[in-house]
Amino acid sequence: MTSSTTPEIIYPESDGLPLADNTVQFRLITIIVWGLADLYKDDPNVFVAGDLFWYPQYRQPWVKQAPDAMVVFGRPPGDRRSYKQWEEDNIPPQVVFEIASPSNSITELEGTKLEFYTQFGVEEYYVYNPDTGRLKGWLRSGKILTPIKLMEGWVSPRLGVRFEKEGKELQLYRPDGERFVTPIEIRAQREQERQRAEIAEEERKTIAQQQLAAIPKLLAMGLTTAQVAEALSLPLDTVEQFVDPSS
């Protein structure tokens, strides 16, 4: 009597290629992935990833893509070694981004990958080439992804993110109007906010000291405690502490 076992299917986690071919491409991928992750950081039902293999079909590891950025609504955030769709309630990424590099061809991005994303359920597909400034998008209509006529000013139906260009450079804006920025820019913004808060606190302390210093002078001029409190926008009991009980 013989027995047989089904051989284990290996789903590679890497193709051995770098995330990006150059610093420009890497910076843009980072901005998009971290911007989207920040946008949905408090949502337990949105998964955001970058350069992660997506396997849409069980036992077919050769059928795969690794979008530069992808968003999956209906799945929890968290680490994954790959996105195996059959383990994720069979939910495909609804939104994907590709940032072109010199090694990418239009045939690859607007042919092979477009066909893949069309076949396997992507709702929105965006391609940007930082070298040429070329920005294109496709939106699902029934079973196909149809080209978006005008991308500048376009707002993603799923994300609420607005696409703009400054010259050739792509800019993405959150639904609240904030621009997607790099982690370095985020730290710089936070440092500026901290410095502004410190300056505001010092100014508040200075004003408070000046107000307290003015109380005895105004009382000496004959103003009542109520008048001084009103003039300096201070509580009455604060002014009354400066009144000599023996006077």
Side-chain angles (χ1 to χ4, degrees):
M1 183 176 181
T2 61
S3 62
S4 63
T5 58
T6 302
E8 181 183 2
I9 302 297
I10 303 299
Y11 298 90
E13 298 167 9
S14 172
D15 56 8
L17 299 176
L19 169 63
D21 289 351
N22 53 67
T23 58
V24 175
Q25 187 190 23
F26 179 80
R27 176 173 56 83
L28 288 167
I29 293 172
T30 302
I31 289 173
I32 293 172
V33 172
W34 284 107
L36 292 170
D38 183 61
L39 181 61
Y40 293 106
K41 66 180 183 299
D42 298 321
D43 195 320
N45 295 302
V46 181
F47 172 62
V48 177
D51 194 41
L52 184 74
F53 270 143
W54 161 31
Y55 292 98
Q57 295 185 315
Y58 181 56
R59 299 187 67 81
Q60 296 187 31
W62 57 90
V63 180
K64 64 183 183 297
Q65 283 293 344
D68 287 332
M70 68 181 188
V71 184
V72 188
F73 292 88
R75 298 305 302 155
D79 293 331
R80 290 163 172 79
R81 302 177 81 80
S82 62
Y83 189 84
K84 299 173 182 176
Q85 190 171 310
W86 58 93
E87 296 179 355
E88 306 281 358
D89 289 344
N90 205 35
I91 299 176
Q94 292 95 347
V95 184
V96 299
F97 293 78
E98 296 285 0
I99 304 300
S101 69
S103 63
N104 296 129
S105 65
I106 293 179
T107 300
E108 176 188 0
L109 295 170
E110 301 181 22
T112 306
K113 291 191 176 186
L114 176 59
E115 290 173 4
F116 183 97
Y117 296 143
T118 298
Q119 179 179 355
F120 293 110
V122 168
E123 297 177 11
E124 302 176 35
Y125 173 40
Y126 301 106
V127 176
Y128 173 64
N129 187 323
D131 289 337
T132 64
R134 181 184 177 90
L135 173 64
K136 297 194 68 174
W138 291 263
L139 182 67
R140 181 164 292 275
S141 176
K143 294 183 178 181
I144 63 173
L145 286 169
T146 59
I148 298 167
K149 293 182 179 179
L150 181 63
M151 277 302 302
E152 291 191 50
W154 169 260
V155 177
S156 160
R158 271 287 192 173
L159 307 175
V161 170
R162 189 175 84 251
F163 292 72
E164 297 287 356
K165 284 203 305 179
E166 294 182 3
K168 292 195 307 182
E169 188 169 351
L170 174 66
Q171 301 288 352
L172 298 178
Y173 291 85
R174 297 161 48 104
D176 61 9
E178 291 292 322
R179 181 173 62 88
F180 279 28
V181 295
T182 65
I184 293 175
E185 290 175 302
I186 291 173
R187 286 198 296 271
Q189 290 175 354
R190 288 175 178 170
E191 177 62 20
Q192 289 176 350
E193 291 171 0
R194 184 189 65 79
Q195 291 176 356
R196 284 196 293 265
E198 288 181 353
I199 292 172
E201 177 63 16
E202 289 299 319
E203 290 177 347
R204 186 195 65 78
K205 289 180 180 179
T206 299
I207 292 172
Q209 292 170 354
Q210 292 173 343
Q211 287 175 314
L212 294 177
I215 293 174
K217 298 177 182 178
L218 294 176
L219 291 174
M221 294 171 59
L223 274 69
T224 66
T225 55
Q227 289 172 327
V228 173
E230 181 178 1
L232 297 177
S233 299
L234 291 173
L236 182 60
D237 58 353
T238 298
V239 178
E240 288 176 341
Q241 294 176 20
F242 287 79
V243 177
D244 185 354
S246 62
S247 60

